[in-house]
Amino acid sequence: MTDTRGPEARSDYGALPGEREKSGSGPAQPYHPPQAYQPSQNGTQGGQQRGGGPAVRRPRTGARTTPRTRKARLRVAKADPWSVMKVSFLLSIALGVCTVVASAVLWMVMDAMGVFSSVGGTISEATGSNESNGFDLQSFLSLPRVLIFTSVIAVIDVVLATALATLGAFIYNLSAGFVGGIELTLAEDE
């Protein structure tokens, strides 16, 4: 079998790519990877004439310049009763603490303004007789008594709110099985 490629091909045969470049005549050139879009010779691209310089890709005509709003339509098919119970428990505890603090602050403000002493004096005069002083509002509405009453109400509220929210999740799951649940449309600005 004879080699018909000529003497140049025989000298590069079996040589590594770096050696082939060195064996050729002239100075070695840096490697340039192939380009996906080669600029044309007359500076046109896609049939559009460009004035001077390399071809630049422009956006399509009619492209939107205003931001597009993406919308997604979702359906709440099921509410997990365990997660509803945990969240409602924590929220009702926070509401109970806020109730106790608010009642303490309100009691202190009313006591500083002298509401209990003036109303208590009026009530003791109206309910009093010659033998007794009447009803003592200030001892009945003392701060420890008000805080204990408010704390009991807050604990009852925590238990009831947690139980009702969990029961509401079970009822929602039953009704969502029949009618499909609540549909929501969410929008996002890009």
Side-chain angles (χ1 to χ4, degrees), residues 163-188:
L164 289 175
T166 307
L167 182 65
F170 278 114
I171 292 172
Y172 177 79
N173 289 340
L174 287 175
S175 65
F178 292 118
V179 296
I182 298 173
E183 290 189 7
L184 303 172
T185 300
L186 304 176
E188 176 190 12

Side-chain angles (χ1 to χ4, degrees), residues 75-151:
R75 184 170 47 107
V76 181
K78 183 182 177 190
D80 185 27
W82 176 249
S83 66
V84 169
M85 186 183 78
K86 290 187 292 186
V87 170
S88 65
F89 177 71
L90 289 176
L91 289 177
S92 59
I93 283 180
L95 182 65
V97 169
C98 289
T99 303
V100 170
V101 170
S103 65
V105 169
L106 182 64
W107 188 91
M108 287 182 212
V109 167
M110 290 175 71
D111 188 45
M113 289 172 46
V115 173
F116 296 125
S117 62
S118 64
V119 173
T122 306
I123 290 177
S124 64
E125 286 178 14
T127 59
S129 63
N130 294 338
E131 294 90 29
S132 67
N133 291 337
F135 182 72
D136 188 14
L137 184 66
Q138 287 180 320
S139 64
F140 182 73
L141 291 179
S142 64
L143 182 61
R145 202 175 247 187
V146 168
L147 289 181
I148 288 172
F149 179 72
T150 307
S151 299

